[in-house]
Amino acid sequence: MLGGPVPVRNYSSTIAVTPKGAGALVTWRATFEADAVSDAEAVAFIAGVYERGLAGIAKEAGR
């Protein structure tokens, strides 16, 4: 995330990619605090970011 209205604060994440069969396993973890939204809304927002990010990686990898 490079900018924009993000409904969380104190965001920290790690991403790890490890081989798995003919592909890879991507593990993306984060810690954060909801900011001006409910915890569920913050989790849904971050999950959407991850889904779009992983879809972009898969597209670039030709999967």
Side-chain angles (χ1 to χ4, degrees):
M1 293 179 280
L2 299 176
V6 179
V8 299
R9 64 181 181 276
N10 298 323
Y11 177 87
S12 177
S13 73
T14 59
I15 188 168
V17 181
T18 53
K20 183 175 182 183
L25 172 66
V26 177
T27 305
W28 199 346
R29 296 183 181 171
T31 58
F32 54 86
E33 298 171 31
D35 189 21
V37 298
S38 70
D39 288 348
E41 290 170 309
V43 168
F45 179 88
I46 296 298
V49 169
Y50 287 6
E51 289 170 8
R52 289 186 301 278
L54 292 171
I57 291 169
K59 181 179 177 183
E60 288 297 317
R63 303 257 176 193

